[in-house]
Amino acid sequence: MAGARHLLTAGFVWVILSAVCLLLEAKDKGCGPEPTRINVTSAGGTLYSPGYPEKYPNALSCQWLLTSNERGKVLQLRPLDLKVGLDTAARSGSCTGDVLTAYDGPSPHSPLLHVWCGEDVKVVHSTGASVLIVMVTDRLRRYKGFAMGYSLLTLPDNACETGTVRTLPLQPGSPVVVDFTAPSPSPSSSPFPYPSPTRLATHTTCSWRLVADDVRSRVVVDLERFDDGLPCGHGNFSVYDGPETSSPEIVHWCARSTKPFTSVYLSGGQGMVVVRTKPDVNPFLRFRFYTRPKTFSGCSLSHVPTLELSGRDPVYISFPFAVNESGASCPVQILSAATLTLWARLDVLRTTTRDARTTWDCPFSQSASPPVTVLQANGTGADNAVPMVVQPTCLRGGHPVFWPVAERIIVSPSTDALGLLLKITPADPGSCHGRVLHLTAPTDEAVVVKDPPASVRNLQYSRSAWCRYVVSGENEADHVLINIEAELCELRDTCGDFVRIYDGPSNESSLLYDSANRTHVTVHVISTGRHVTFEYGTDDRVNRGFIEAEFNSVPGQELCNGVQQIKADKTSQNLSSLNYPYYYPINHMCQYCITSDNPDDVIYIDVIDSDMTYTCSDAVEVYDGELNEGAETDDAAPEYLGRFCAQDRPRYVSKGPGMCLLFRSDPSRHGRGWLLSFRAAPPASSGVHRNEGQTNTSSGSSSTTTATAVVALVVLIAVIVVFIVYIVKNKRRQRRSSEE
């Protein structure tokens, strides 16, 4: 008991000390009565909430005043990580509870710049040289807080003059932000937190030449906002790795609603951005131009420049990313800013050698050495394990792609590689990630592949995916039947999503189907052998839709070559479609002729089960007599008795000793098939004979059975009546005995 008291006391003291520490730390973090003043220089910095990355205390009121003394510069606030209260703005349009507020000036009476809550990471800019940041928390739940990056930037006047090229000098530590927008009805509808940029006429071409003041720097282009898209019929924009439009083009983009990239790292200190628009479009683009040092000391695998990826949008890198003092190209390590393990897709978009020859195209040349090596490693420094080399894969008719998964990814270009351009896209954890997955198609059901999975409610299939499935028939002689339904490329502007099926165990096999930019995909095909390869690829654009594929095994078509001759006798026998009751083949035709050796017999057929397409595109035709190839169109063709399909279960009787069936299926969906019983008997007889223990009776035996049943029922009723009378009399006798 005493030990428990000591334990409780120690716990209580620990809680008190923790609270005191948090309050003292909160005071150091700007949570006193006066705002903490921060002088912002060209180096910028990061502001943290109290206790970050641990949870901040309740009932806080913290203020930070950011000011700058540099003329012509404004302040930029960029949330690096933010979790403050609940995202009430998404539901009600305003933040409540724990909030982080920025004012465009030195006091709470200054114009409101922005209010953050939940996980909002909107980047904002001031109009002047000061910003007041206020954090207020309630007494309810606590959250992680925030890491807010702040820096200086330049807002150029008249950023775009149509038909001219505006040169923007870039100084280290001083980003330049440029907005592009088409005309709007009034300045009051401006989406920016500072005076609206020049309103531009339609049919506009805006060009910015980017020049770094330091020749040892490289130019970086960030796309901070991409609000209304840029439909391909109305405009586009490009980023060039050099000062002219004749320089290599890194990005050429047009599409609705999807942000094309986070950052583009040019290879040197000059670049160009060109935006082109046509009538009836109102895009809003915000570019952020800045420089990054290109020279790096060391350049070993244990000491390399670092690039952090945030979000899901691509990053383009034009190599060399960095060089050492002697001018040799350095490797670069890539990390995730949000997670420990990074899933990524690396596309080698362009690579040439010093003599301007292309070195690495699909399919890979055996003689060409790889222009880039991709390594995946875990840990850092001396604790790092030996990095593993990632092998590239080759998109059919495309380019090399790497799919690394690690804590850090190292990209090392060869010394002979020039003009190397990589596109790096964060991928979803657990995705197929370029791997080849092997499945077996069963005969008794269908194996299903879905994207998005059935557990996901919204119909948004994966971005930057490349999924390959090699599906094999269950038995050696089986074929694979494929049914695919898909809705692709909701936004059709330059959509690169596709679905393909190959008739064999790899994507080098012959092509059975290619969606070829189709938006709606409905395909039903069957392999010629035991294996089939199904693949789909998606680009980095967001599209709502789905991909669903079903595979099952079916017997080979050769089992139905020619007419299947079947002998009937007085015993009842069964006949069914191929693979019944599991999925008959598509594009299929089978002929069956049932005959009796007795010329006086007729053939009786009873359909026991039928499950085919409800449209009757798959059906069984029934003919009276022999059915030979081409007989259905010949003048001497046997008499047509009818057909059954869907869930029909009819009965047929021939006029002679033969009846033939013709089963056809089309390329569309299919069902279980059909099952029927047949027998031969004289025309006057409607009796059915015993077969494998199943009792069948004629009409005479049926009448006898009915009479027997009636007699048995009468006898049973008589017995019951006699029993009741006996009981009544027995009770009366007992009553008299008791009275006497």
Side-chain angles (χ1 to χ4, degrees), residues 28-71:
D28 293 337
K29 292 289 186 178
C31 300
E34 297 295 328
T36 299
R37 295 178 176 271
I38 300 174
N39 181 36
V40 182
T41 65
S42 59
T46 305
L47 187 66
Y48 300 97
S49 59
Y52 181 88
E54 302 299 327
K55 295 181 179 179
Y56 53 76
N58 289 328
L60 285 180
S61 178
C62 309
Q63 300 182 62
W64 300 268
L65 179 59
L66 281 62
T67 58
S68 172
N69 297 323
E70 299 195 24
R71 296 172 59 88

Side-chain angles (χ1 to χ4, degrees), residues 508-552:
E508 297 299 323
S509 306
S510 59
L511 193 63
L512 281 176
Y513 176 80
D514 187 351
S515 60
N517 295 322
R518 293 182 180 89
T519 302
H520 307 283
V521 176
T522 301
V523 58
H524 312 278
V525 293
I526 190 168
S527 64
T528 59
R530 186 185 179 186
H531 307 285
V532 71
T533 299
F534 164 64
E535 74 170 351
Y536 65 90
T538 63
D539 58 24
D540 50 74
R541 293 165 170 82
V542 174
N543 276 301
R544 291 182 63 82
F546 68 93
I547 301 168
E548 181 173 340
E550 294 182 357
F551 309 91
N552 63 270

Side-chain angles (χ1 to χ4, degrees), residues 382-578:
D383 297 331
N384 177 37
V386 177
M388 294 179 56
V389 177
V390 182
Q391 297 299 325
T393 51
C394 186
L395 286 169
R396 184 182 178 109
H399 52 266
V401 181
F402 295 88
W403 304 89
V405 178
E407 291 182 20
R408 61 193 186 106
I409 299 165
I410 301 173
V411 178
S412 180
S414 68
T415 56
D416 194 41
L418 295 177
L420 179 61
L421 177 62
L422 292 186
K423 177 183 177 183
I424 305 172
T425 310
D428 295 327
S431 65
C432 45
H433 215 60
R435 295 170 297 171
V436 178
L437 304 177
H438 294 268
L439 302 174
T440 298
T443 57
D444 56 347
E445 59 181 349
V447 60
V448 180
V449 173
K450 289 185 177 182
D451 191 355
S455 58
V456 178
R457 293 185 178 180
N458 65 323
L459 292 179
Q460 182 175 306
Y461 53 84
S462 303
R463 297 169 60 181
S464 302
W466 185 25
C467 302
R468 292 175 292 168
Y469 298 86
V470 175
V471 186
S472 303
E474 192 170 51
N475 303 304
E476 192 66 36
D478 284 348
H479 298 242
V480 180
L481 185 60
I482 310 105
N483 294 298
I484 298 177
E485 298 285 341
E487 293 291 335
L488 301 175
C489 303
E490 175 200 21
L491 308 175
R492 298 194 61 182
D493 291 338
T494 66
C495 178
D497 304 346
F498 65 86
V499 169
R500 296 183 184 131
I501 306 171
Y502 303 92
D503 192 15
S506 75
N507 59 356
E508 297 299 323
S509 306
S510 59
L511 193 63
L512 281 176
Y513 176 80
D514 187 351
S515 60
N517 295 322
R518 293 182 180 89
T519 302
H520 307 283
V521 176
T522 301
V523 58
H524 312 278
V525 293
I526 190 168
S527 64
T528 59
R530 186 185 179 186
H531 307 285
V532 71
T533 299
F534 164 64
E535 74 170 351
Y536 65 90
T538 63
D539 58 24
D540 50 74
R541 293 165 170 82
V542 174
N543 276 301
R544 291 182 63 82
F546 68 93
I547 301 168
E548 181 173 340
E550 294 182 357
F551 309 91
N552 63 270
S553 293
V554 295
Q557 184 79 15
E558 58 273 8
L559 296 179
C560 275
N561 290 339
V563 180
Q564 310 299 308
Q565 299 290 340
I566 302 171
K567 288 296 182 181
D569 54 29
K570 292 181 170 41
T571 60
S572 181
Q573 303 177 59
N574 290 338
L575 177 66
S576 64
S577 56
L578 277 179

Side-chain angles (χ1 to χ4, degrees), residues 6 61 102 181 245 269 336 365 417 440 492 561 605 638 657 681 726:
H6 289 310
S61 178
T181 184
T245 54
S336 171
S365 171
T440 298
R492 298 194 61 182
N561 290 339
I605 286 181
Y726 171 78

Side-chain angles (χ1 to χ4, degrees), residues 37 55 85 100 102 120 150 197 223 255 314 339 376 382 422 531 549 581 583 676 711 713 723:
R37 295 178 176 271
K55 295 181 179 179
L100 183 67
D120 182 11
Y150 55 84
L223 184 59
T339 60
Q376 55 188 20
L422 292 186
H531 307 285
Y583 304 113
L676 58 81
V711 172
L713 180 60
F723 184 70

Side-chain angles (χ1 to χ4, degrees), residues 76 101 155 177 192 206 210 239 268 305 382 425 428 463 473 523 557 579 583 670 674 733:
Q76 180 187 61
T101 307
L155 294 178
V177 170
F192 346 110
C206 287
L210 314 173
V239 180
T425 310
D428 295 327
R463 297 169 60 181
V523 58
Q557 184 79 15
N579 208 39
Y583 304 113
H670 51 278
W674 46 268
R733 189 180 303 111

Side-chain angles (χ1 to χ4, degrees), residues 570-572 688-696:
K570 292 181 170 41
T571 60
S572 181
V688 182
H689 302 275
R690 183 179 301 275
N691 178 31
E692 296 184 0
Q694 180 180 357
T695 302
N696 301 306

